[in-house]
Amino acid sequence: MKVSLIADKDYPIGEVSPRLFGSFIEHLGRAVYGGVYEPGHPTADDQGFRQDVLALVKELGVPIVRYPGGNFVSGYRWQDGTGPRSLRPRRQELAWNSIETNEVGIDEFQEWARRAGSEVMMAVNLGTGTAEDARDLVEYCNFPGGTALSDRRRSNGFEQPFGIRTWCLGNEMDGPWQMGHRTAEEYGRIACEAAKMMKMADPEIELIACGSSSSSMPTFGEWETTVLKNCYDQVDYLSLHSYYGNRSDNSAEFLACSRDMDKFITDVSAICDAVKAIRHSPKTMYLSFDEWNVWFHSNEQDKKIEKWTVAPPLLEDIYTFEDALVAGCLLITLIRHCDRVKIACLAQLVNVIAPIMTETGGRAWAQTIFHPFRDASRFARGTALDCRLDCPSYDGGAYGETPAVEAAAVVSGNELTVLAVNRSLTEDGELTLDLRGFGTPELVEHRQLWHEDLKAVNTADQPENVAPSAGDGHTLRRHSWNVLRYRLA
Ligand code: AHR
């Protein structure tokens, strides 16, 4: 199969924000307890954070981490997780039917994020919580001192303000499963009022309003329009969430699912621009794709997990090689929309639908999806180019006619990187590059992720079963992820 890619120096899409490579940690399952935090673990540091996990997070390169939920945040009392641990309440956690000990809260998590080299993207509770709770949290986190809330932070051991810049106004408020689920009108109003008060408390922050939980929500479209009509001037981003799964064991169709993400972003951008026009606003609404991933492997086993326990093993998807190819296609799609999508979070980071897995008390390892994420986070920061790709296409089932190859090109200084997934299950691709205006680029590295078996996984015993290897510089092997790095003259 012939694959030709044209990229021209003079035709950029835009800057790839480093925050496109964000992730997410929720108080859910073993993400926090047994994941990032495990005081008795042999690698635990002075704060009980697992250093084996921290090392993998740093290798992944995650500049921003959304916290503490997710569905969890819609019933969360943030005060529960502050102050002396012995006084923190244990609570029934209604989103995931678990017991929350509150051993880790905002204070500890921002310290973990600092050690991981990430910034925190804080979500506030607009389910059972009020606009006042939300502005109180901003004051607790970001006000220097001399007020009751900021002094409480200081007396809890954090003299300096946390300086949390980016805040989510609730989570998936369009979903009937959400505690405190609201209509678009109701949510638009509380988002507007919470946003006003939060920005009064700290004018430097930026805010994300909830969009739809997926493009298949019955309210999709109407929800975005109504919410934005209520809070367009007060917020800076609108969120999108999407999860995919190979439920009918049709790999060719599954590999095409990034077409849905592509359309979702295009549709939401159009809605934002329609509201912008109606409001005669000069402001462009940017997008935060703050939950994306493959999620389906654990659906059945989760039904059998005992309720009301601490840190049950929920949402522990073991990712296959084909999931990594899908993650690669989704990353390329986000990069191609970098002019609009300024933040994105792989959901989630550790144990819960995650690139990093741990044994409680034992080993930590990289799942298959770790590899395309790490590669993109490392090598695709810069200016994305508006590429023209010529390759065969195939019938992607529910996702329609789909190109056999998904690709993006990013230039940074004297380095140009091409990311490409060959979706073909049978044919290698012969790549020809036409890099216009770049002189004669020299190939530095061709990394590929390939395995004969689409269902291959990594485990604690075989953590390198699916791992990158060197390519020949021009062949995009059938069903493979590729990173081609060039030095520009
Ligand atoms: O990431 C798992 C869950 O998926 C989150 O809690 C929720 O926001 C979404 O439905």
Side-chain angles (χ1 to χ4, degrees):
M1 167 174 75
K2 289 202 180 323
V3 180
S4 117
L5 184 107
I6 305 173
D8 191 316
K9 194 168 185 254
D10 293 325
Y11 294 100
I13 299 172
E15 285 303 299
V16 179
S17 162
R19 299 202 294 175
L20 218 54
F21 306 110
S23 189
F24 174 32
I25 289 191
E26 178 167 4
H27 280 248
L28 194 187
R30 296 192 307 123
V32 174
Y33 308 111
V36 299
Y37 175 79
E38 197 185 331
H41 191 271
T43 71
D45 66 12
D46 60 313
Q47 294 292 312
F49 301 131
R50 283 182 65 153
Q51 293 187 73
D52 55 348
V53 172
L54 272 171
L56 285 165
V57 172
K58 284 182 191 162
E59 193 186 334
L60 212 46
V62 184
I64 188 163
V65 184
R66 187 167 175 254
Y67 174 86
N71 297 337
F72 170 83
V73 80
S74 296
Y76 184 48
R77 294 169 241 210
W78 65 264
Q79 298 87 344
D80 284 355
T82 61
R85 281 208 169 99
S86 58
L87 301 178
R88 295 187 192 179
R90 285 168 75 90
R91 291 199 192 273
Q92 235 188 336
E93 198 291 287
L94 302 183
W96 302 104
N97 301 314
S98 310
I99 296 296
E100 173 56 51
T101 63
N102 285 305
E103 214 176 320
V104 170
I106 279 144
D107 292 346
E108 291 80 20
F109 189 75
Q110 68 77 37
E111 179 58 27
W112 177 84
R114 202 183 60 75
R115 293 178 188 204
S118 307
E119 64 173 302
V120 176
M121 174 168 156
M122 186 76 83
V124 299
N125 175 357
L126 288 187
T128 62
T130 63
E132 188 168 58
D133 294 329
R135 58 80 59 209
D136 281 357
L137 182 55
V138 175
E139 184 177 332
Y140 178 88
C141 292
N142 287 1
F143 200 66
T147 66
L149 287 164
S150 56
D151 286 346
R152 196 190 300 170
R153 182 199 68 241
R154 292 167 70 205
S155 67
N156 286 338
F158 298 92
E159 181 61 32
Q160 295 305 318
F162 299 153
I164 295 173
R165 178 160 65 120
T166 310
W167 297 72
C168 304
L169 295 164
N171 176 69
E172 295 190 348
M173 297 308 301
D174 62 326
W177 60 87
Q178 202 69 211
M179 285 176 266
H181 165 227
R182 296 174 196 269
T183 65
E185 189 69 36
E186 288 166 346
Y187 173 69
R189 284 296 305 131
I190 192 174
C192 173
E193 294 308 317
K196 266 164 53 184
M197 289 162 61
M198 291 166 76
K199 282 194 172 171
M200 284 173 188
D202 182 353
E204 301 296 309
I205 62 174
E206 48 183 28
L207 299 173
I208 303 165
C210 291
S212 292
S213 305
S214 78
S215 60
S216 58
M217 291 298 287
T219 49
F220 170 55
E222 286 295 333
W223 173 271
E224 281 75 3
T225 308
T226 307
V227 167
L228 287 179
K229 280 183 179 167
N230 277 281
C231 64
Y232 196 90
D233 294 338
Q234 286 74 29
V235 306
D236 307 284
Y237 307 88
L238 187 67
S239 77
L240 300 85
H241 290 180
S242 229
Y243 293 100
Y244 301 96
N246 189 358
R247 292 197 169 76
S248 47
D249 201 10
N250 179 342
S251 298
E253 182 178 62
F254 182 44
L255 288 171
C257 70
S258 59
R259 307 293 292 164
D260 173 78
M261 178 189 253
D262 184 74
K263 183 173 181 322
F264 193 18
I265 294 169
T266 304
D267 289 350
V268 174
S269 303
I271 295 168
C272 291
D273 289 345
V275 178
K276 175 182 181 178
I278 291 165
R279 295 182 58 81
H280 301 226
S281 172
K283 167 175 151 184
T284 297
M285 186 63 58
Y286 290 109
L287 306 184
S288 171
F289 214 120
D290 45 43
E291 288 188 34
W292 68 268
N293 204 349
V294 172
W295 174 16
F296 75 111
H297 295 286
S298 59
N299 291 167
E300 284 309 307
Q301 77 204 34
D302 281 354
K303 291 180 187 156
K304 297 176 208 136
I305 285 179
E306 195 190 342
K307 290 186 178 178
W308 314 125
T309 60
V310 176
L314 284 166
L315 278 67
E316 299 204 356
D317 278 43
I318 303 303
Y319 287 117
T320 62
F321 170 57
E322 74 178 3
D323 296 329
L325 298 179
V326 165
C329 290
L330 296 171
L331 282 158
I332 290 172
T333 305
L334 290 167
I335 290 165
R336 286 200 288 96
H337 284 282
C338 69
D339 53 337
R340 204 65 197 239
V341 181
K342 297 294 177 188
I343 303 173
C345 303
L346 172 66
Q348 299 191 10
L349 186 55
V350 185
N351 288 332
V352 171
I353 42 173
I356 299 168
M357 287 302 289
T358 72
E359 294 167 325
T360 301
R363 298 166 286 183
W365 67 99
Q367 293 230 61
T368 61
I369 62 168
F370 185 97
H371 297 294
F373 188 96
R374 189 251 332 267
D375 286 349
S377 175
R378 265 205 205 166
F379 301 121
R381 299 183 186 199
T383 305
L385 299 169
D386 192 3
C387 300
R388 290 292 172 275
L389 186 70
D390 193 11
C391 66
S393 62
Y394 70 97
D395 178 6
Y399 304 110
E401 199 58 22
T402 300
V405 172
E406 191 75 57
V410 178
V411 62
S412 172
N414 67 342
E415 269 218 10
L416 186 141
T417 301
V418 173
L419 308 174
V421 172
N422 181 358
R423 292 186 174 104
S424 172
L425 300 178
T426 51
E427 279 189 71
D428 290 350
E430 272 307 301
L431 179 67
T432 316
L433 279 185
D434 182 350
L435 298 173
R436 296 178 183 176
F438 286 110
T440 314
E442 179 198 339
L443 183 74
V444 176
E445 185 185 18
H446 177 188
R447 294 164 71 82
Q448 63 175 12
L449 193 68
W450 188 83
H451 202 288
E452 196 163 38
D453 180 4
L454 286 171
K455 307 298 180 190
V457 299
N458 288 346
T459 61
D461 289 330
Q462 282 193 296
E464 304 272 312
N465 184 31
V466 179
S469 59
D472 65 7
H474 52 88
T475 308
L476 307 177
R477 297 183 77 178
R478 69 190 165 100
H479 55 71
S480 65
W481 158 261
N482 300 269
V483 181
L484 295 112
R485 298 174 55 220
Y486 299 89
R487 187 173 304 119
L488 303 169

